[in-house]
Amino acid sequence: MLVRAFQMLELVANEDRPMNLTEMSRGVQLPLPTTHRLAKTLVRLRALERDHGRYTLGPVWSEWTDATPQREPAGSLC
């Protein structure tokens, strides 16, 4: 199910508008109840946000991006 959850996140991230459960279910080829269960978990983890039955990426992604250290390009040893 972890792979399916990441597929859902990737699907939502690549859309230019919020998605509903039916669209996500079709996009990742999962039954609607399974999609709903995964979406509910992802909302609880703040990986997705739900607003009026539509989903977008949640705030955790910007927090993780801000916390990522800047690294030197590979092969760069000062």
Side-chain angles (χ1 to χ4, degrees), residues 4-74:
R4 294 297 193 173
F6 270 85
Q7 289 172 337
M8 283 175 56
L9 291 170
E10 185 176 23
L11 181 69
V12 171
N14 288 322
E15 277 296 315
D16 58 352
R17 61 178 179 71
M19 298 185 77
N20 65 33
L21 280 174
T22 302
E23 294 166 330
M24 287 193 294
S25 177
R26 288 181 187 146
V28 294
Q29 299 177 355
L30 283 175
L32 194 56
T34 303
T35 304
H36 181 258
R37 217 170 25 256
L38 282 173
K40 188 175 177 180
T41 299
L42 290 168
V43 167
R44 190 173 67 243
L45 295 171
R46 301 174 53 233
L48 285 179
E49 277 189 331
R50 182 176 182 255
D51 185 32
H52 295 88
R54 296 201 166 267
Y55 295 83
T56 57
L57 287 183
V60 75
W61 302 109
S62 63
E63 293 168 10
W64 285 358
T65 301
D66 292 343
T68 303
Q70 297 299 319
R71 298 178 187 218
E72 294 294 321

